Amino acid sequence: MGADLTMACTSDLSGLVRGKGFATADLDARIAGGIGWTPTNAQITCFDGIAASPYGALGDLVLWPDPATRADCDLPEGRALSFLMGDIRELDGTPWECCTRSILKTALERFTEASGLEIRATFEHEFMLPQDRLSRGFSLQGFAGAQPFAEALLRALAGAKITPDSFLREYGPDQFEITLPPAPALRAADEAVMLREITRATAVAMGLQASFTPLAGSEVVGNGVHIHISLWTRDGRPATHDPDAQDGLSKAASGFIAGLLRHLNAASALTAPSAISGLRLVPHRWSAAFNNLGAQDREAAVRICPLSAGDPEKRARQFNFEFRAADAAASPYLALAALVMAGTIGIRDELQAPKATEEDLSLLSEDALGKRGLQRIPASLTDALDALSEDRSFADSFPGRFVEIYTAHKLGEWAHVADMTDDQRFAEYRSTY
Ligand code: GLU
Ligand code: MG
């Protein structure tokens, strides 16, 4: 099982996984001693340019692989992929300001301090895998055509102890979806990171190319990353549902969602952070277009998911809400951290979620939307970055100079595509993610 070489990895500001490899035989020593890392690596964009860096050529860090994330995956054609995710720390052991996994860990600790609760999450991923023959959305034919890939993927994921909840032939051309079962938040984000890498690597081993790009073309359905969240007491009791409260939301869930909606514009710079992400976040793409909570609405930014269980205890355990304004250009650690930070502010400030919307918001006038505090999610990366820098209470949740450095990173990415047509941008992102 696994490969002779193993890579210690970080999911970085670009949402790509980068790291360094070593002989698998040395794994224990590397877990004990870490791997050297360079601060300016944070500014390597998804297009491999280097954005403005405050670190220059200076400084040293250590990437500490976490054995809990060990993936030893057997791939098709006798190939293998072995890697671990890790935390990046300063030489003195303190978390580094640009380590996305450490940022999520801190966000989760603060959430628990503020609420006494814990978070379980799950990520649904849509992606495109070109097929050699035409197949239709949700069809058995499409599913069967992808079966050799899907089964190879299942075997590879087993090497990372990941068991998907479902695999389906989604609606868009060559589009598939893979969902994972709920897990404690850090593990859920680890699995989301590993899932993307293992999916891409399985495809490559079969001579295919899988892409999680947010949008493959202006006429094509987008690839969303939907993040499901539920709240739990520390002794494992469900804390998201209150059947007697508005929209069935417990006080904590209502506060969390209200914080999420209030800080959504700023958070979108971290959850849907590419130059094409905003093109997906428009009405009638079944993604998310407004800062709304919706029930049974697949265009809501936050959607209350349906319950199928009859028994009250089972309903409480099943109850969860889904954030839809995310995509795979975001590191899962940063996307989930952004949601948790916004939600924590909502709980701390005792905010209350608005009543869930029940209509097509694109039909309402500006005036009607304004009266209900509804607005469009930023349409461009630069608008989202402006919202991030203006939303001080949200931005201040991040460590050190993170927001400044992240903004410079994203502006570097933007510069690469600024003079391109949309079609050229779609192609650039498709081959990157
Ligand atoms: N493809 C849609 C998106 O971009 C999601 C469709 C669905 O699964 O509801 O988010
Ligand atoms: Mg879907």
Side-chain angles (χ1 to χ4, degrees):
M1 290 279 281
D4 293 340
L5 280 173
T6 293
M7 189 155 144
C9 299
T10 179
S11 164
D12 68 11
L13 306 197
S14 72
L16 296 182
V17 170
R18 292 183 159 108
K20 289 184 179 172
F22 49 84
T24 302
D26 292 342
L27 180 63
D28 289 344
R30 297 300 188 149
I31 289 171
I35 288 106
W37 197 248
T38 308
T40 283
N41 284 5
Q43 296 306 64
I44 304 178
T45 73
C46 67
F47 303 120
D48 268 0
I50 298 192
S53 166
Y55 308 113
L58 304 177
D60 279 295
L61 300 161
V62 182
L63 169 57
W64 295 94
D66 181 346
T69 63
R70 184 170 178 188
D72 281 317
C73 307
D74 289 332
L75 302 176
E77 306 297 328
R79 295 174 71 159
L81 178 71
S82 292
F83 65 104
L84 303 89
M85 303 311 301
D87 297 340
I88 305 175
R89 301 206 196 109
E90 303 279 0
L91 299 181
D92 67 5
T94 52
W96 181 45
E97 59 191 348
C98 289
C99 170
T100 59
R101 194 166 185 262
S102 302
I103 290 173
L104 174 59
K105 283 182 171 176
T106 305
L108 293 168
E109 281 162 19
R110 293 211 196 119
F111 168 80
T112 296
E113 273 162 33
S115 66
L117 300 172
E118 290 177 345
I119 292 178
R120 290 185 198 168
T122 180
F123 287 70
E124 292 179 6
H125 282 94
E126 292 170 336
F127 63 97
M128 270 146 186
L129 183 78
Q131 300 292 286
D132 52 11
R133 72 177 69 137
L134 182 74
S135 78
R136 301 297 184 195
F138 295 100
S139 68
L140 179 58
Q141 190 194 22
F143 180 81
Q147 205 149 354
F149 169 80
E151 292 184 359
L153 177 58
L154 216 66
R155 283 190 291 274
L157 288 170
K161 300 192 176 57
I162 298 175
T163 311
D165 175 81
S166 51
F167 179 86
L168 56 106
R169 168 69 176 87
E170 247 288 4
Y171 170 72
D174 297 329
Q175 193 180 35
F176 293 85
E177 174 170 323
I178 185 157
T179 63
L180 301 175
L186 179 65
R187 174 68 192 172
D190 283 334
E191 290 194 1
V193 174
M194 293 191 283
L195 172 87
R196 293 177 196 172
E197 298 311 309
I198 296 168
T199 303
R200 286 188 278 244
T202 302
V204 167
M206 295 177 76
L208 303 168
Q209 197 197 16
S211 178
F212 293 80
T213 186
L215 199 58
S218 50
E219 303 302 321
V220 183
V221 174
N223 291 313
V225 173
H226 302 164
I227 306 174
H228 292 252
I229 290 180
S230 55
L231 313 181
W232 297 79
T233 64
R234 273 185 263 199
D235 56 358
R237 281 178 297 113
T240 326
H241 191 37
D242 175 353
D244 301 322
Q246 180 173 289
D247 293 313
L249 294 169
S250 68
K251 186 166 183 282
S254 177
F256 191 104
I257 290 170
L260 209 50
L261 297 178
R262 189 169 78 179
H263 298 286
L264 178 55
N265 284 0
S268 74
L270 297 139
T271 62
S274 76
I276 55 170
S277 294
L279 301 175
R280 174 182 155 258
L281 301 176
V282 298
H284 307 144
R285 278 193 166 278
W286 286 42
S287 52
F290 294 88
N291 62 336
N292 68 315
L293 169 69
Q296 274 140 47
D297 177 357
R298 286 189 175 73
E299 293 206 356
V302 180
R303 166 178 170 256
I304 298 172
C305 297
L307 297 174
S308 57
D311 167 76
E313 169 66 17
K314 287 201 180 119
R315 288 172 76 80
R317 298 187 79 82
Q318 193 184 25
F319 195 89
N320 70 92
F321 52 90
E322 172 194 46
F323 181 81
R324 298 176 68 85
D327 65 47
S331 162
Y333 299 127
L334 278 186
L336 189 54
L339 306 189
V340 172
M341 284 169 178
T344 302
I345 296 173
I347 289 180
R348 207 177 276 150
D349 292 357
E350 300 196 5
L351 303 182
Q352 265 188 307
K355 199 164 167 25
T357 58
E358 286 175 358
E359 70 270 66
D360 180 351
L361 300 183
S362 71
L363 302 176
L364 301 187
S365 66
E366 284 292 316
D367 195 42
L369 290 168
K371 281 193 181 119
R372 291 164 64 182
L374 293 168
Q375 50 175 293
R376 286 286 303 278
I377 297 171
S380 71
L381 175 57
T382 46
D383 286 355
L385 292 171
D386 286 345
L388 177 60
S389 73
E390 282 157 20
D391 188 344
R392 287 325 308 174
S393 66
F394 176 74
D396 287 347
S397 306
F398 290 86
R401 293 168 293 177
F402 172 80
V403 168
E404 201 181 300
I405 295 169
Y406 180 80
T407 302
H409 177 118
K410 285 285 150 181
L411 291 176
E413 175 183 332
W414 169 249
H416 179 84
V417 297
D419 295 330
M420 293 184 185
T421 62
D422 278 352
D423 282 343
Q424 289 169 325
R425 290 178 186 168
F426 292 136
E428 283 291 279
Y429 280 103
R430 185 169 185 150
S431 57
T432 299
Y433 291 103

